[in-house]
Amino acid sequence: MIAIIGAGLIGLSLAYELTRRGGEVRVFDVGEAGGAASWAGAGMLAPDTEAPPSSAMQRLCALSLDRYPAFVKGVRADSGIDPRLHLDGILHIALTANDSERLRARVAASVAEGIPARWLTRGETVALEPSAAGNVIGAALFKREGHVDNRRLGRALRAACERQGVGISAHCGSIAIESDARRVRGLRTTDGFLAADVVVNAAGAWASMIDGLPEHARVPVHPVKGQMLALAMPRGLVRRALWYSDGYVVPRDDGRLLVGATVEDVGFDVRVTADGVRTLLDAVLRALPALRDLALVETWAGLRPGSADGLPYIGFGALGGYAVATGHFRNGILLAPATATMLADIIEGKACVVEPGPFSPQRLADPGNRMTVPA
Ligand code: GLY
């Protein structure tokens, strides 16, 4: 039996993968399945635009992006819910000469690494994305990127898991790990004790706070708040995800345009604040003045799980049978399929496609294995 704490996209993707391989899996969450950061994110699949902080992370992100079409196809077939995957590129628009210089250099570096990217003139940008006409002077097109509707993906994964026989217990009053000096024994929840061979901590920003976990097995995870809002747009007004220097917009098929996101170190605070909304609106209207008259239809906030060095924790922790999958920071939705494959391989004792050492939950305890990651 494998017990997973956390029914977000990471925990559910892992449950889905393990069950497809014949494993017996149960998932527990104190909140809603597919909730928290999995619900709050924008669903951007942007390893090239986000420029993750190490080459190992870039490889993992690229691998996960490659897996997305097959992953979504499987989840869709097993759930009957379409997570609305779009891989039509992300445009990073330049509004100043500085932006333009920086983005042209990024495009050149990306192309040199074999990443499909192109610099677009103002005319080419506006032809592709008329909504950017206001102040744009050019744009970097990262061609393989896109977005998925993460709220739909959460519902689809839950349904696909349940159809495969995964027991999902949401809204648990409490969840605690039980262990002896050497290894985990299982989980105790309000429903009683479940013996498990492996317990996986996929509790996102809350992963370091799980009851019953010995101090030496905790990984340092901290919440990084992101506030977002949605505008109602006429169909097709914004055609693809757009980045600008201080934010981004992502179109949803239901006519909402998501605007993100703040990055705030304020603990477990999920209030939407006046300053947060003003910051988002100032940035988006500077970049895309054509959106000025759209109705503001939704605001929300979520907590990204930040790790100590910017890389996720994926693998076994410092206690027998205890595995971790968290710390994905800005890339949890993108990294769900690769995390699931990688951790399922590790649990089954198989070789991973990507070198797992840089992501080991034990890397920070071993100074010889410590990563140096630029801030
Ligand atoms: N991946 C976008 C964000 O975290 O805001």
Side-chain angles (χ1 to χ4, degrees), residues 42 44 50 228 243 248 260-263 304 329-331:
M44 206 128 35
E50 296 246 21
M228 296 199 52
W243 273 63
Y248 53 80
T262 64
V263 181
R304 308 172 182 91
F329 189 35
R330 296 180 67 107
N331 292 297

Side-chain angles (χ1 to χ4, degrees), residues 278-311:
R278 178 178 56 188
T279 301
L280 294 172
L281 287 174
D282 280 352
V284 72
L285 293 180
R286 246 190 332 265
L288 303 164
L291 307 184
R292 159 175 317 113
D293 289 328
L294 301 188
L296 172 57
V297 291
E298 193 185 345
T299 59
W300 67 96
L303 300 173
R304 308 172 182 91
S307 72
D309 59 6
L311 304 186

Side-chain angles (χ1 to χ4, degrees), residues 49 92-110 119 140 142 243-246:
T49 304
H92 198 147
I93 61 176
L95 304 171
T96 65
N98 262 353
D99 287 348
S100 168
E101 198 179 322
R102 193 170 42 82
L103 286 171
R104 280 172 183 271
R106 284 272 309 282
V107 167
S110 298
W119 174 254
F142 293 101
W243 273 63
Y244 32 95
S245 61
D246 44 6

Side-chain angles (χ1 to χ4, degrees), residues 49-63:
T49 304
E50 296 246 21
S54 76
S55 52
M57 178 72 159
Q58 282 159 18
R59 279 196 297 280
L60 189 67
C61 287
L63 173 75

Side-chain angles (χ1 to χ4, degrees), residues 21 55 60 72 81 97 133-134 283 285 347:
R21 297 181 184 201
S55 52
L60 189 67
V72 162
I81 299 171
L285 293 180
I347 289 170

Side-chain angles (χ1 to χ4, degrees), residues 159-186:
C161 282
E162 286 177 335
R163 195 168 289 182
Q164 290 188 157
V166 177
I168 300 176
S169 304
H171 303 292
C172 294
S174 64
I175 301 173
I177 292 178
E178 291 205 357
S179 61
D180 57 31
R182 243 175 27 83
R183 58 173 299 112
V184 294
R185 293 178 52 248

